[in-house]
């Protein structure tokens, strides 16, 4: 009866691949910065930062602001791709 759990798990993970909520991983790669370094700068565990980077968890606004300051990028660059943004007039 019902949908096998492995199928639900697989579909949920595939869905999450399409729901990329932050670009922290991309920005770190662009700047050549490691997750370990960022974790030390934030005074957070590697596991916490890895969860942000892999989009398993999202940083709160205060942490997102800290990350943007540390990485010297606009906060908007951490949550959306600049090429995907549209200018509203």
């Amino acid at each position: 009866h019902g949908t096998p759990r492995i199928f639900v798990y697989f579909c949920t993970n595939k869905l999450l691949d399409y729901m990329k909520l932050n670009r922290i991983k991309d920005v770190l790669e662009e700047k050549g910065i490691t997750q370990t370094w960022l974790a030390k700068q934030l005074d957070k565990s590697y596991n916490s930062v890895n969860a942000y980077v892999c989009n398993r968890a999202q940083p709160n606004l205060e942490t997102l602001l800290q990350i943007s300051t540390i990485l010297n990028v606009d906060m908007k660059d951490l949550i959306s791709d600049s090429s995907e943004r549209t200018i509203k007039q």
Side-chain angles (χ1 to χ4, degrees):
H1 289 99
T3 307
R5 287 181 186 222
I6 189 81
F7 180 76
V8 172
Y9 176 79
F10 177 76
C11 289
T12 303
N13 280 345
K14 284 296 167 197
L15 179 62
L16 290 175
D17 287 345
Y18 297 110
M19 294 176 54
K20 193 165 146 185
L21 300 175
N22 74 58
R23 296 188 64 251
I24 297 171
K25 179 179 183 176
D26 297 331
V27 174
L28 288 176
E29 287 175 358
E30 289 165 10
K31 293 186 169 279
I33 294 173
T34 66
Q35 295 177 45
T36 303
W37 182 86
L38 181 59
K40 286 179 184 173
Q41 301 304 308
L42 291 169
D43 196 27
K44 292 195 177 288
S45 71
Y46 172 85
N47 289 340
S48 293
V49 171
N50 182 258
Y52 302 153
V53 169
C54 294
N55 278 291
R56 289 190 314 273
Q58 297 305 315
N60 62 31
L61 286 176
E62 180 181 336
T63 302
L64 197 63
L65 179 59
Q66 283 181 298
I67 293 169
S68 71
T69 301
I70 290 166
L71 299 180
N72 196 28
V73 296
D74 192 303
M75 231 166 78
K76 288 185 272 185
D77 292 332
L78 294 175
I79 55 175
S80 67
D81 191 334
S82 59
S83 66
E84 294 174 355
R85 279 190 232 134
T86 57
I87 299 172
K88 295 181 181 178
Q89 296 182 1

